[in-house]
Structures are given as structure tokens and as C-alpha cells.
Amino acid sequence: MPRIVDLGVTQYLWIPGENGIANELMPDLSELTATGVKNISSQVVTTTTLDVEASDTVNERSVTDVANVVTPTVGNYAGSLVLFRDYENGEPTANDPLAVIGSSVGVIGWIAKRVGKPAAQAAAEGDEYDVYLVMIDNPQTTGGQGEGFLKATFPLLQQGRFKKGAKVTAAAGGAGS
């Protein structure tokens, strides 16, 4: 049985803006490699969570049903992005997550997550990504606890669009082309 160790094989991309991905069902390769897209994988802390959750449901049956009927309706996803801060000579660098993603509430962008290939390997046609449109809630930073590296936590608020296992296409016409 082929197996892969879960080390260095998860990639996270930050794609700024609501229009960073035009069609979450088939992200365009140019959208995942556009100017402003940042591979943040090396800064993502293992306590990061981002995945689908149970859908909202309608629990309604007819008078002839002899068992309850539960029908999924609206999908849900949730999580928080935890990143190592990036400092040089005591100052945040241009790669610091607060510079890359933003330091205030309301920033909107896409997080694309790929599992299975090396994190540093560029996106390619046919790759599968989980893509989530998120709004950043107030970023939370650490400091002064003496229990690890400086980090920033970005609570993620769902913005109505996501797709698990979206296949990357090479077709033109996406937001990044």
C-alpha cells in the first residue's frame, strides 16, 4: 500500500481579493501564479485549521414518510490561519504575514491548499486544491509569553464560496490572466 509521510507536502497559497479566483470549481493556473499570490506554506503553523464543516440542513418530512428526512442545504467551512511572524533586525519584513495578508479586519482573499506534492513545487495544470474565499477577522499576535516563536492568528470567516478538490485548469480568462 503506497503511503506518504505528512511532512513538507502541504502547500498554502494566499490569493488576495474576492476576484482572485473567478471560478472556484476550476481555478485557472494564472490565478494561482498571479502577481500578489504568495506561497505562505513555510510560515503556516501546524495548529492551522481550515476545512469543510457539516452543512446546514432542512429537517422536514411528508405525512407519508415513516422516518425523518434530513436534507443538506448550505455548505459550511471554517478555520483559522496561524502563521510564524517574519522579522529582521527587530522589524517585520515584507514577508511578515501582517504585511502579506493584512493587519486589519475585513481583508478578503482566497486560501488554496494542496496536499501531496512538495510545498515549494509550483502549481500546475491538473493539481487539486481546496479553495476557500475568506474574510479575515481581527488578526491576533503573540509576544511576551516566552513559549515559542512569534505568531499571528487570522480567524477566517466564510464568504460563501469554496470547493474541495478543485482541479487547476490552464484555460485563460481567470482573474489572474
Side-chain angles (χ1 to χ4, degrees), residues 35-99:
T35 302
V37 172
K38 182 79 172 167
N39 182 341
I40 57 173
S41 306
S42 65
Q43 290 174 282
V44 175
V45 180
T46 58
T47 55
T48 287
T49 59
L50 178 59
D51 210 342
V52 295
E53 293 188 335
S55 297
D56 291 351
T57 59
V58 172
N59 303 338
E60 199 165 24
R61 58 186 160 81
S62 76
V63 295
T64 59
D65 288 327
V66 295
N68 286 324
V69 176
V70 181
T71 304
T73 58
V74 178
N76 290 302
Y77 55 99
S80 64
L81 190 59
V82 184
L83 300 169
F84 292 117
R85 302 285 310 273
D86 191 41
Y87 275 74
E88 188 174 298
N89 298 322
E91 296 292 328
T93 70
N95 289 322
D96 187 70
L98 295 177

Side-chain angles (χ1 to χ4, degrees), residues 98 101-107 136-139 154:
L98 295 177
I101 295 173
S103 60
S104 61
V105 67
V107 173
I136 303 299
D137 198 354
N138 289 307
F154 297 88

